[in-house]
Amino acid sequence: MSAFNAIGEEREIDREEFTPGIEPQPTWCPGCGDFGVLKSLKQALPEVGRTPEETLLVTGIGCSGKLNSYLDAYGFHTIHGRSLPVARAAKLANPGLEVIAAGGDGDGYGIGGNHFMHTARENHDMTYIVFNNEIFGLTKGQTSPTSPKGHKSKTQPSGSAKDPIRPLSLSLTSGASYIARTAAVNPNQAKEILKEAMEHDGFAHVDFLTQCPTWNKDAKQYVPYVDVQESDDYDFDINDRGEAQDMMYEAENVLKDGTVLTGRFYVDEDRPSYQEEKQSLGEMPEEPLAERYFDDDYEWERSYDLLDRHK
Amino acid sequence: MADNELIWRIAGGSGDGIDSTSQNFAKALMRSGLNVFTHRHYPSRIRGGHTYVEIRASDEVVDSRGDGYNFLLALGDSFARNPKENAYYGNEEVKPLSENLDDLREGGIIIYDSGLLDASEIPDFEERAEENDWHIFDLDLRSMAREHGREVMRNTAGVGATAALLEMDLDEIENLMENAMPEKILEPNLTILHEAYDMMVEDYEFEHDLRIPTGEHDEEQVLISGSNGVAYGALDEGCRFIAGYPMTPWTDVFTIMSQHLPKFGGISEQVEDEIAAAALALGASHAGVKAMSGSSGGGFALMSEPLGLAEMSETPIVLVEAMRAGPSTGLPTKPEQGDLEHILYTSQGDSCRVVFAPGTPQEAYEQTRTAFEMAYDYQIPAIVVIDQKLSGENQNVPESAFDRDPNPSLGPTLTEEQLEDAPHDPSGIFQRFSHDDPEDDGVRPRSLPGQKGGRFLVTGNEHNESGHIEEDPDNRITQMDLRMKKLESIREDLDSDPETSSQTYFGPDEADYGIVTWGSSQGAVREAVERLNDDGQSVKAIGVSDLMPFAEKEVTEFLESVDEALVVEMNATAQFRGLTQRELGQFGEKLTSLLKYDGNPFEPAEVVEGFEIQIAGNEEAPTANTRLEPAVSD
């Protein structure tokens, strides 16, 4: 009998299952975009057919890091910027888990930027949601890597001299195989995109625009948004790297003028996930590694077999 | 000092095959029934530069490099030359000779490659040779090697000549070469081996006394390093996940694991940095796999955040810290025991971790197994501390030391059936961090993601029973106390069976004086103790491995039983002495430190000398390379 019976369980999943019975009072401010992420995620998960118990949500630090306090699933609230390495190892250890990592723009594009680049490069089969509100929220309003150039804050009193990070372009360059941007103000699109991201077999990066009514009053509230798939003004091949790149570049350029382009920007269905690559090299077992510890019949190989070379 | 011992030094350039040649020769000596110990000295560069390996072989136990050596095979450095200008970088071409003369014992043997080295360039060479009664053989090994194929084979020629001079049988060497070399290069190597051997026997008269010692092993032996010990301990304990980033000397462990894990059905990940490496180990462990990571000082510094997260989230992981000389990148290829305080206390908050510092390759194997056991049984990070010395030095260990059952246990985890009866909060969340302590040892059994009925949240913030962030003072105290209680329980667990104690004792049960050491300095201390007692001193020693939780009982008993003690460690600030005094709250007036931090490990003679000066009243400083730090007087 498997030790992980919640994994792959096929049944009708009630949306409410992901809502804790006693809901902790969210510490997010009224009007915060993070509520939108939580709501979309709660809607998407049952539609993907995932149960709370086979879902592992790994978060970083910041307002976004509290996401798993309000979503009833297995959760690991890690440390600033480190959600991705924790999440991808959990997925390698037990590929049956639905692994989602989440963090903010400071967490994911700043302190965790290196991990973002490498997780995308390796194309781990997981979903990464970055709450992008262009500000550090929980530490009270400092300039973040996505804050526009010239943005003034207590730590950048004369305004930021830096161009903001281009998360979509960075993601594509790094190797993510599914890249989308959505916004908390558009819950329907968000739900659909999260669903696709979870169903995608590879690293799915969702840049999730979330408004911060407390610390980023100047920032655009990401309305009106334009869905690039719905609009006739934008015609590009989502599977074509070059076209996707141009489209992302434009989306990142026009955001500073208040034009919010959302939707899917790049999808590569053909690229094998990291897990598949490793398995094809014989560097990862076909059966989930975590199951092995519960298999009484498994014969554990020993270093004893290696000693001959030392004789 | 073993009376009947060979200490053979092969010197030349990095990349000249010194390592593989010496590895084979050491095995041949072990197979002939001797105890062997190898010491590797190399610069932080890929090719060229002065490097040597020493092999010490004796019928008695050897677990240090010994003092000096008695056989030099100087090969010359084929990569440091600049043939275009017909010049050398500096005087590097004579280095394998000139650099290696100071420690060569009286009556010792020198073979040098006259094809590459010119002894006449060393001004006082002949005088020194005469003074020290050295027996010198200048052989054109390079030409010999060229004749039969490749120049690099001059090390095989050197081994052949060595065997002839020591009256050593070639059988074992031949067997090993047959196993290690592909057919194409085996033939010329065997030819050159015999040619050099025959040439020595036929053309030279031997006037030296040094011959190969004879010995016998009761059981099959293997030649392994501390890094092998750590890696094999991890494999046998069921570790199937490793993540790392290369850094000397940790790379040895990482490499061994990476080469074997896939064959064992495990996963090895080379990742972007050390923060990621430790975080990956955490993620894999959280999902239900025995996992490890590790680094050397600089990389371990980066791991301090995930290490703290492992403590707070009570996620078992094992980290290896293979120390090298610091601060910062320090001496990349040289040993030091300078990271002790860093390892014990790094990361925010109160330290809640287990730290073992094995002293030999066999202890590295055993204590890595214990580290995994403690980590998973108590849901706590465990750190195995080795250093560049222990990591790279090879020593023979009985094969039977590995003959233990595998241990794939993940420690206290609940099955789905058990989870049905486990405490849940009203919303159905499993109370993984329950205030109840079922075994009274601070450990609350965990569930694993994917199990029915086991949903919980884990966080690096202080949390309540379900894992949610909670700042209530009463809850804080309860959770802190439970986490810290694990250390007491581990101490009791480790103390419960004195037979399996990780501390190692040398010398007589009763003695006037003591020597206290830790980690890899143990080997030199052991030998110094034997020598001091042979010379009429009354001294015993303890090698301490349990650093956190500290081996309080055993060290207290040891120190109470002696009048005073010398604390031997490789750092400048007496870190282990500080730990001892801090943990035991006494003995300050009893402890003098003998410190060494020049990048080289202790040799037994230095410990003997330090001890004698201390006992004689601390009147003069020991050798220039060590330092005495007097006791704290009241």
Side-chain angles (χ1 to χ4, degrees), chain B residues 291-604:
Chain B
M292 79 189 290
S293 182
S295 191
S296 299
F300 187 76
L302 295 184
M303 293 181 169
S304 99
E305 257 191 55
L307 173 62
L309 179 61
E311 294 177 334
M312 187 52 129
S313 66
E314 306 192 46
T315 310
I317 49 165
V318 172
L319 299 178
V320 177
E321 220 270 35
M323 300 180 289
R324 65 192 215 187
S328 192
T329 37
L331 301 170
T333 62
K334 302 290 171 62
E336 198 170 88
Q337 297 178 297
D339 294 351
L340 176 61
E341 290 177 349
H342 179 50
I343 293 164
L344 291 171
Y345 309 122
T346 189
S347 195
Q348 314 92 302
D350 296 301
S351 291
C352 183
R353 67 196 66 163
V354 186
V355 182
F356 292 110
T360 62
Q362 183 172 342
E363 286 188 4
Y365 173 79
E366 286 160 0
Q367 289 172 26
T368 302
R369 293 201 68 159
T370 315
F372 269 96
E373 212 175 303
M374 293 303 129
Y376 280 80
D377 282 356
Y378 292 92
Q379 302 170 354
I380 195 170
I383 301 167
V384 180
V385 186
I386 57 173
D387 59 33
Q388 189 272 345
K389 171 178 149 61
L390 182 54
S391 136
E393 288 175 340
N394 285 278
Q395 197 177 356
N396 60 301
V397 174
E399 190 184 17
S400 61
F402 299 84
D403 196 10
R404 281 169 51 188
D405 291 333
N407 179 20
S409 163
L410 290 176
T413 49
L414 297 178
T415 62
E416 292 182 341
E417 294 75 54
Q418 289 168 323
L419 276 166
E420 280 175 24
D421 301 326
H424 287 73
D425 75 11
S427 68
I429 297 276
F430 164 53
Q431 297 198 310
R432 185 255 181 277
F433 301 103
S434 162
H435 286 184
D436 296 329
D437 179 6
E439 302 291 331
D440 200 29
D441 58 1
V443 183
R444 283 75 51 89
R446 60 179 177 143
S447 63
L448 301 169
Q451 281 186 310
K452 265 189 181 217
R455 290 184 331 278
F456 71 98
L457 174 65
V458 53
T459 166
N461 285 48
E462 190 56 274
H463 42 265
N464 65 17
E465 295 177 278
S466 311
H468 284 286
I469 296 170
E470 169 74 69
E471 296 185 348
D472 171 69
D474 291 338
N475 173 68
R476 160 71 176 176
I477 293 168
T478 305
Q479 295 289 6
M480 267 310 277
D481 289 350
L482 283 167
R483 285 190 296 269
M484 301 314 290
K485 192 173 176 185
K486 294 194 284 189
L487 283 175
E488 280 168 48
S489 312
I490 292 168
R491 190 66 257 157
E492 281 168 28
D493 197 346
L494 292 169
D495 283 339
S496 63
D497 184 2
E499 289 295 307
T500 57
S501 162
S502 303
Q503 280 50 254
T504 316
Y505 296 90
F506 309 118
D509 290 343
E510 305 283 333
D512 298 338
Y513 300 102
I515 299 180
V516 184
T517 193
W518 66 284
S520 75
S521 296
Q522 192 174 298
V525 165
R526 174 196 178 117
E527 197 164 331
V529 167
E530 276 176 26
R531 219 178 289 176
L532 285 163
N533 283 299
D534 286 349
D535 292 347
Q537 298 278 11
S538 171
V539 55
K540 62 180 183 177
I542 182 172
V544 183
S545 291
D546 299 359
L547 306 184
M548 187 180 280
F550 192 70
E552 188 179 327
K553 214 170 97 196
E554 286 173 86
V555 180
T556 303
E557 280 171 11
F558 180 87
L559 289 175
E560 278 174 347
S561 73
V562 295
D563 296 339
E564 57 180 302
L566 189 68
V567 186
V568 177
E569 56 182 320
M570 282 190 282
N571 59 56
T573 52
Q575 295 182 29
F576 182 75
R577 184 173 89 174
L579 172 68
T580 305
Q581 284 176 238
R582 179 195 138 109
E583 289 286 335
L584 304 182
Q586 52 170 330
F587 300 120
E589 76 295 343
K590 257 191 191 184
L591 305 176
T592 300
S593 285
L594 181 66
L595 306 171
K596 188 174 182 186
Y597 46 92
D598 69 347
N600 291 300
F602 276 104
E603 291 169 22

Side-chain angles (χ1 to χ4, degrees), chain A residues 166-237:
Chain A
R166 294 175 168 273
L168 305 174
S169 301
L170 178 64
S171 188
L172 183 75
T173 306
S174 302
S177 52
Y178 180 96
I179 304 165
R181 171 177 268 173
T182 186
V185 290
N186 184 9
N188 292 332
Q189 184 205 40
K191 183 196 81 179
E192 288 306 318
I193 281 180
L194 288 178
K195 232 173 96 179
E196 279 180 14
M198 285 188 269
E199 280 165 349
H200 176 74
D201 184 18
F203 186 68
H205 168 219
V206 180
D207 186 60
F208 208 121
L209 301 171
T210 54
Q211 66 278 12
C212 179
T214 305
W215 296 110
N216 208 9
K217 289 193 172 69
D218 298 339
K220 309 145 290 289
Q221 298 295 301
Y222 307 125
V223 276
Y225 65 89
V226 176
D227 186 329
V228 291
Q229 266 81 37
E230 299 296 319
S231 164
D232 294 336
D233 297 342
Y234 304 98
D235 180 28
F236 70 104
D237 181 357

